[in-house]
Structure formats: C-alpha cells, structure tokens
Amino acid sequence: QLQLVVSGGGLVQPGGSLRLSCAASRSTLDYYAIGWFRQAPGKEREGVSCISSRDNSTYYADSVKGRFTISRDNAKNTVALQMNSLKPEDTAVYYCAADLFRLCVSSPLLADFGSWGQGTQVTVSS
C-alpha cells in the first residue's frame, strides 16, 4: 500500500492562499491518480480535485474551480493543491488519496481510493 504524508495546512484570512502537499516516501506517484478531499464539521467528505495518473488531466469541484490548482512535481514525488482566494466555507480537514492508473474525468469517489494521507486542517477566518 502507498504511504502518503500531507503538509501545508494552517490558518489563513479570507482571500488568502495556502499550498498543500501530498508526498510519497518511497513509491513513485507517476502511476497514481491523486485526489484531494475535504470534510467540514457535520458534513460528508467530498471530492475537491483530482489529477490523472497518465496524462495529468484534472478535475475540480465547481466550488473551487478557478481558485484551486492541482499539479505534480515528479522531481519531488509530490502532488500539490494550490488554494487561492480562500473563503470561510473552504474550512475543513483536507486529505489526499491515491488510486492506481485512474483517469480523473469526474468527481473523485471515496470508494475508488485505497491509500490515504493523514489529513491536515485548513481554517479560513478573519
């Protein structure tokens, strides 16, 4: 199983930015689609973004489209989620997850991802 480590969460004011990173210590992420999910208190975990394993095509939830960018850095073996123009409703615990050989053409589903990072808190507040 792929081991993932998430970093980059924190407290930011509305309109600010954060960059989350999802890293694998040994296995390459080249063959894995990486999905970002978030869960706010009292709400279901939802798919936020996904980057495909082969062609790096991407998916974004409507709520974050135009504000968030997902990307790979193969030299560092990481996947980043750049979050700009953050809103209070973006407050949640954010998770990354990996799925082998997946093409991200629609919203990532929890059941499709077998390897998960530990989650990191993102709080957007004045």
Side-chain angles (χ1 to χ4, degrees), residues 54-106:
R54 185 176 64 180
D55 63 2
N56 287 326
S57 59
T58 58
Y59 162 85
Y60 298 96
D62 288 341
S63 59
V64 307
K65 195 172 299 180
R67 300 187 297 119
F68 291 11
T69 303
I70 189 170
S71 62
R72 292 186 186 273
D73 186 336
N74 289 328
K76 297 179 180 178
N77 200 32
T78 60
V79 171
L81 185 68
Q82 179 67 43
M83 305 185 295
N84 298 326
S85 302
L86 283 163
K87 305 174 181 179
E89 50 263 45
D90 295 318
T91 295
V93 176
Y94 283 71
Y95 302 85
C96 73
D99 186 39
L100 192 63
F101 300 131
R102 179 165 296 277
L103 187 65
C104 298
V105 297
S106 61

Side-chain angles (χ1 to χ4, degrees), residues 3-125:
Q3 298 297 121
L4 302 175
V5 178
V6 180
S7 62
L11 175 65
V12 65
Q13 293 184 337
S17 298
L18 285 173
R19 187 176 180 89
L20 305 183
S21 178
C22 180
S25 60
R26 296 182 300 276
S27 299
T28 180
L29 294 180
D30 290 352
Y31 299 109
Y32 294 86
I34 300 297
W36 286 96
F37 300 80
R38 67 186 182 187
Q39 187 167 21
K43 300 181 67 176
E44 298 292 323
R45 191 172 299 184
E46 63 176 347
V48 175
S49 185
C50 184
I51 186 164
S52 300
S53 61
R54 185 176 64 180
D55 63 2
N56 287 326
S57 59
T58 58
Y59 162 85
Y60 298 96
D62 288 341
S63 59
V64 307
K65 195 172 299 180
R67 300 187 297 119
F68 291 11
T69 303
I70 189 170
S71 62
R72 292 186 186 273
D73 186 336
N74 289 328
K76 297 179 180 178
N77 200 32
T78 60
V79 171
L81 185 68
Q82 179 67 43
M83 305 185 295
N84 298 326
S85 302
L86 283 163
K87 305 174 181 179
E89 50 263 45
D90 295 318
T91 295
V93 176
Y94 283 71
Y95 302 85
C96 73
D99 186 39
L100 192 63
F101 300 131
R102 179 165 296 277
L103 187 65
C104 298
V105 297
S106 61
S107 178
L109 302 177
L110 293 171
D112 291 335
F113 289 79
S115 298
W116 290 80
Q118 79 280 14
T120 187
Q121 178 70 48
V122 171
T123 302
V124 184
S125 179

